[in-house]
Amino acid sequence: MAAQSVDTFVLAFSDPVLNEAQPQRARVNVNISFELFNNNHVQTLSTNQAGGDVEGLLFVPDLDPSDPCFNATLQYVPSNVTRIRDLPTEQYLYLGFAPWFSAACTKSYLAATRGVPGIDGLLFYIPNNSTGTPPPVSDGIWNLNDGGQWKSENKYPVYAVPGVDGAIIMQQLAQYSGNASSPKTQNILAQEQLDPTGYVRLYTTFGFNGGSSLPTLWAFLLIVLAIVLLIIGLTSLSMHYYQRRNRRALERRIRSGEVDLESLGIKRLRVTQEAINNLSTFIYVPNGSKTFDTNEPVGPSSQTHSESAVPDSSAPEHTLWAQPTCPICLDDFIPRETTVRSLPCHHIYHPLCIDPFLLDNSSLCPVCKAKVVPQEQNAYTYEPVTNAMVRYERHARRIRLAHEMRRAQIARVGTQGGEDSGRLSNLRRVCGTDRRTFSVPSVAPPTTSQIEMVEAGNRAVSSPVVVPNPEASAIQTRPPADTTMRREWMSRRMSALVGRQPTMEEAETERHARTPRRKSHLKNLL
């Protein structure tokens, strides 16, 4: 933590050993003592273990008399300065104070301070006449030739003050280092109404940048970022829960038969091969005749017998066998030769035409759109429901409700309008204002032959007569003989018959393909 200011003043306090129960302390008035406040001229050399306030009683560390620095520091350190032995051993922290004039002596002071219990920091000054801020920590003057290791070895912060301030503090340490019997000390203790056995010593406190209780800018930004991420996470969880609940609700409605996926155009269901095999197949016989059930083996003898009389149990109970053509390939059924497959709606097709349609395209009859297999019995019904299905079903339900409400409103308005019209008619008849308007006598509507004649005349005038090509018509209406080409032709015929409307899944895939990758990735993330 970088220091911004340092305040050194005189502190009078009672002996903690004698007055442990009620310790007393007071900052001595500057008029009868000393105070030095330095603001913005403090250099932080090391912030190791600097937590909270840095303050304490000021003293000069003791050097070993055998150390060469002991004699070298005599010109900077008076002999009667405050030492650690001149301070109480309880209830107070300590701050070391020493000159910085050589690397070797600085290391000696660091080592001497390191062994003092309760040390809270160390304050240096360069012995010169400088009054400005000491050089930055990167300056070579603070180099102790150990690669900066001294900063990590000392478990306390280290600071530096200008040379002039350091010399003044060193002189004051010599004045406020005596025992309680000195006249100056006795005078201060008497004015502060303290025990005559107390202490009068220098006390130093440091002020730091950003000392307020408000968080720093980075901490504030991290807090805001955490709150935003928390909101996004909660929103995402809520959306996933809501979507999951809607999917489960739609699955229940689908299984109960309330929602028809294929009728709404939400999903294109298909029919399994097993369900197709369970559909009945017959030998086509024109209307008025009986049919043969090809699900049972039919031999020559039985076929001959069935031409004359077929049991009623094998004949379908309906009269739609007048259908002479397959609606898919438009190929005529050959009586007593063509095998046809009958759907539950009683429409018949070639098995080669209807089977691929049910397997690949739809589970509805191409003619009447009736279901071939009930939805609850279709295995494709129980595929996972997606969020897109939920949205399409909700949209379709809202449109249906809006149409129903509009029809009900129209019916209600029509009923009221009819009543009002009857009342107005009666009123006009009573008042004599109900007049009948005679116009051109009504003409009978034209017959069908008249309309065809007019249309033929219009075509003859507006466009030249085009003679149809019999071969082209045959190619368009009759299937090719080749099996592969016939299947392709039937697929195109089915698409033209049913209408190739894109399903919800295909529309969703196409929409995702048009969406930019960044937007799609952001949507999936949310």
Side-chain angles (χ1 to χ4, degrees):
M1 187 179 297
Q4 183 179 9
S5 62
V6 57
D7 187 15
T8 303
F9 55 90
V10 177
L11 182 68
F13 55 94
S14 60
D15 190 349
V17 178
L18 301 178
N19 299 275
E20 184 178 0
Q22 295 180 348
Q24 298 177 350
R25 55 186 295 178
R27 181 169 179 167
V28 182
N29 193 338
V30 68
N31 295 326
I32 60 173
S33 64
F34 163 78
E35 180 179 1
L36 179 63
F37 180 75
N38 184 345
N39 188 23
N40 295 327
H41 293 293
V42 184
Q43 188 62 256
T44 302
L45 303 181
S46 172
T47 58
N48 195 13
Q49 298 290 331
D53 298 332
V54 178
E55 58 183 356
L57 297 173
L58 211 60
F59 75 100
V60 177
D62 293 320
L63 297 180
D64 191 350
S66 62
D67 192 339
C69 294
F70 181 81
N71 295 325
T73 58
L74 292 179
Q75 57 178 331
Y76 307 112
V77 180
S79 58
N80 61 339
V81 295
T82 304
R83 302 287 183 175
I84 190 63
R85 60 180 176 271
D86 299 326
L87 301 176
T89 59
E90 298 179 4
Q91 296 184 357
Y92 288 95
L93 298 175
Y94 311 107
L95 289 177
F97 184 75
W100 185 302
F101 60 93
S102 68
C105 295
T106 300
K107 290 182 179 180
S108 299
Y109 277 118
L110 291 172
T113 308
R114 199 178 300 130
V116 177
I119 189 70
D120 200 32
L122 183 58
L123 183 62
F124 282 103
Y125 75 96
I126 299 176
N128 56 22
N129 296 324
S130 174
T131 57
T133 304
V137 66
S138 60
D139 194 276
I141 196 173
W142 309 114
N143 186 15
L144 297 183
N145 301 321
D146 60 353
Q149 186 177 357
W150 64 273
K151 298 178 182 179
S152 60
E153 290 180 350
N154 302 290
K155 305 303 180 183
Y156 48 81
V158 181
Y159 305 98
V161 294
V164 174
D165 292 353
I168 295 174
I169 294 174
M170 188 64 74
Q171 294 175 3
Q172 295 298 323
L173 279 174
Q175 295 184 18
Y176 293 95
S177 61
N179 53 27
S181 60
S182 63
K184 189 174 185 179
T185 303
Q186 288 293 327
N187 184 26
I188 293 176
L189 292 175
Q191 289 191 11
E192 298 297 337
Q193 299 180 358
L194 295 176
D195 190 354
T197 61
Y199 292 84
V200 179
R201 298 290 184 266
L202 291 185
Y203 197 89
T204 299
T205 61
F206 287 88
F208 300 94
N209 292 325
S212 62
S213 59
L214 296 177
T216 61
L217 178 61
W218 283 108
F220 177 75
L221 293 178
L222 290 177
I223 292 173
V224 172
L225 180 61
I227 293 175
V228 171
L229 292 178
L230 179 62
I231 294 175
I232 293 176
L234 293 177
T235 304
S236 178
L237 290 176
S238 302
M239 291 178 58
H240 281 290
Y241 172 76
Y242 177 74
Q243 293 174 350
R244 183 176 180 273
R245 188 183 64 177
N246 290 342
R247 291 197 301 269
R248 297 294 180 270
L250 182 58
E251 287 179 358
R252 290 193 297 267
R253 296 173 61 197
I254 291 173
R255 294 178 181 178
S256 62
E258 298 180 15
V259 177
D260 191 345
L261 296 178
E262 194 163 15
S263 297
L264 295 177
I266 298 176
K267 186 177 182 180
R268 192 182 297 276
L269 301 180
R270 299 178 299 276
V271 182
T272 61
Q273 185 64 48
E274 181 182 359
I276 293 177
N277 295 336
N278 293 331
L279 298 176
S280 300
T281 56
F282 301 93
I283 298 298
Y284 174 75
V285 179
N287 190 21
S289 304
K290 300 298 183 179
T291 58
F292 303 97
D293 189 351
T294 59
N295 289 334
E296 297 180 358
V298 179
S301 59
S302 60
Q303 182 175 359
T304 305
H305 177 73
S306 61
E307 290 179 357
S308 58
V310 180
D312 294 338
S313 59
S314 63
E317 297 295 333
H318 54 82
T319 60
L320 294 180
W321 290 108
Q323 176 185 338
T325 305
C326 176
I328 295 178
C329 66
L330 300 182
D331 196 1
D332 294 335
F333 299 129
I334 301 175
R336 301 184 182 278
E337 292 185 9
T338 304
T339 301
V340 296
R341 188 180 299 280
S342 176
L343 301 186
C345 58
H346 307 315
H347 288 111
I348 57 177
Y349 305 85
H350 290 120
L352 293 178
C353 297
I354 192 62
D355 291 359
F357 179 85
L358 298 177
L359 283 172
D360 302 330
N361 286 27
S362 176
S363 64
L364 304 179
C365 174
V367 176
C368 64
K369 306 303 180 184
K371 282 189 171 298
V372 176
V373 178
Q375 181 171 268
E376 59 274 9
Q377 299 179 10
N378 195 336
Y380 293 100
T381 304
Y382 302 98
E383 293 180 353
V385 176
T386 61
N387 295 327
M389 293 183 184
V390 175
R391 291 195 299 269
Y392 275 84
E393 192 276 332
R394 186 190 302 116
H395 182 65
R397 186 171 66 252
R398 290 176 179 176
I399 293 177
R400 184 174 65 254
L401 291 177
H403 288 174
E404 292 178 355
M405 293 177 61
R406 184 170 181 82
R407 285 197 298 269
Q409 184 178 5
I410 292 174
R412 184 169 59 254
V413 172
T415 304
Q416 295 176 356
E419 295 177 358
D420 295 341
S421 299
R423 294 171 184 175
L424 290 175
S425 178
N426 295 333
L427 182 61
R428 290 172 181 171
R429 189 176 295 105
V430 171
C431 297
T433 59
D434 188 10
R435 300 179 180 179
R436 299 180 63 183
T437 302
F438 296 93
S439 59
V440 181
S442 59
V443 182
T447 61
T448 305
S449 59
Q450 294 174 349
I451 294 175
E452 292 177 352
M453 292 173 63
V454 172
E455 291 180 352
N458 293 336
R459 287 196 298 270
V461 174
S462 60
S463 60
V465 177
V466 179
V467 179
N469 187 0
E471 297 182 358
S473 301
I475 293 176
Q476 295 176 0
T477 57
R478 304 293 294 180
D482 187 21
T483 305
T484 305
M485 297 180 62
R486 180 185 179 91
R487 287 184 177 274
E488 180 66 22
W489 183 85
M490 286 191 296
S491 299
R492 295 181 180 180
R493 181 67 185 175
M494 285 187 287
S495 299
L497 180 64
V498 180
R500 187 66 176 96
Q501 297 293 335
T503 62
M504 179 273 303
E505 297 173 347
E506 296 171 349
E508 191 73 15
T509 304
E510 183 179 358
R511 186 174 64 83
H512 278 292
R514 293 196 303 265
T515 305
R517 184 173 298 177
R518 293 182 179 177
K519 293 184 179 180
S520 178
H521 179 70
L522 180 60
K523 182 178 180 181
N524 295 333
L525 182 61
L526 295 177

